[in-house]
Amino acid sequence: IPLLVAASTFGSSTGEAYSSPRGAFSAARHGVLPEVFCLIHNTSKTPVPAIIFQSIMGSIFVLLGSINQLIDGFNITAWIFYCLVFIAAIIMRFTKRKEKRPFKVWIVAPVFMIVVSLFLVVIPIALVPEERITLGIAIVFILLGLPIFIFFAWDKFRPKIFNKISEKITKLAIILLNTSSTRSSESEKYEEEIVVYSTELSNNA
């Protein structure tokens, strides 16, 4: 049984390693995260900066808490967001009726999953007092993400210094990691600027 659990954990971790960085990559392509996360490697076509960021964040969380706290915190946070996604699916069913969809979800499915999500979040908290602390920590992390999202996603709230820092980090990542931007407008701009920036780095060295 321990070997089977280890194999299952390895498979799950491998899947997360492939999928999670793609979330940051997609968000960056839509302007929600810094531009550096939408860079892909020129040869392997993988989002290297997003993978590096995911690895660093995962290492930090491993050092800060026990495995039980990480599992509980991840499960509670994940099911909170799953619930929000199911609620959004129902809302969009009525607010965006004319949108073309590859397939149409039966309305009972998201309603059922909302109930399941709430059950998996509320019941452990009600029965296990220790889970309340984990939920509190998860909610704090979620709330801390709101101001970060506002600064990075909304141009009218984003300080100009953030844009300048983001551009410099992106240019440096393009050089050091052999990557290219997946934003068409950014690619054209960086192709013109990267040669000058590389020359400046060489001269400084």
Side-chain angles (χ1 to χ4, degrees):
I1 293 178
L3 290 177
L4 294 176
V5 172
S8 176
T9 302
F10 178 78
S12 177
S13 300
T14 303
E16 288 292 330
Y18 276 103
S19 61
S20 296
R22 269 70 180 178
F25 168 76
S26 179
R29 290 191 69 183
H30 290 83
V32 178
L33 288 178
E35 299 167 8
V36 67
F37 295 124
C38 73
L39 301 180
I40 60 171
H41 194 269
N42 291 324
T43 304
S44 62
K45 306 302 180 183
T46 53
V48 176
I51 294 173
I52 293 174
F53 175 76
Q54 177 82 7
S55 302
I56 293 173
M57 292 302 298
S59 300
I60 292 174
F61 281 117
V62 168
L63 294 174
L64 291 179
S66 65
I67 186 64
N68 290 333
Q69 290 174 327
L70 290 175
I71 293 174
D72 293 340
F74 174 81
N75 287 335
I76 291 175
T77 305
W79 281 109
I80 290 174
F81 280 100
Y82 292 156
C83 183
L84 294 175
V85 170
F86 299 136
I87 293 173
I90 295 176
I91 293 175
M92 292 178 67
R93 172 67 62 86
F94 298 100
T95 58
K96 296 187 177 183
R97 292 178 178 272
K98 297 181 180 180
E99 291 289 333
K100 293 183 179 180
R101 298 177 173 85
F103 64 93
K104 194 172 183 179
V105 178
W106 187 34
I107 192 67
V108 175
V111 172
F112 174 75
M113 290 307 301
I114 289 172
V115 176
V116 172
S117 301
L118 293 175
F119 176 84
L120 293 175
V121 172
V122 174
I123 294 302
I125 295 171
L127 299 180
V128 184
E130 291 79 7
E131 295 291 338
R132 298 168 190 170
I133 300 176
T134 303
L135 176 62
I137 296 174
I139 292 176
V140 168
F141 271 100
I142 293 172
L143 294 177
L144 287 175
L146 292 177
I148 296 175
F149 175 82
I150 291 173
F151 279 128
F152 282 124
W154 292 355
D155 291 334
K156 64 179 180 179
F157 292 114
R158 184 189 301 160
K160 293 183 178 179
I161 188 67
F162 280 16
N163 293 332
K164 294 181 180 179
I165 295 174
S166 177
E167 286 184 7
K168 289 186 178 296
I169 293 175
T170 302
K171 293 176 186 177
L172 188 62
I174 288 174
I175 296 172
L176 297 179
L177 302 177
N178 188 26
T179 55
S180 300
S181 177
T182 53
R183 295 183 190 174
S184 57
S185 60
E186 297 298 335
S187 297
E188 296 173 359
K189 179 180 69 173
Y190 289 134
E191 283 177 1
E192 297 175 357
E193 296 181 358
I194 203 67
V195 175
V196 176
Y197 193 69
S198 300
T199 305
E200 292 178 356
L201 286 176
S202 300
N203 294 335
N204 292 334

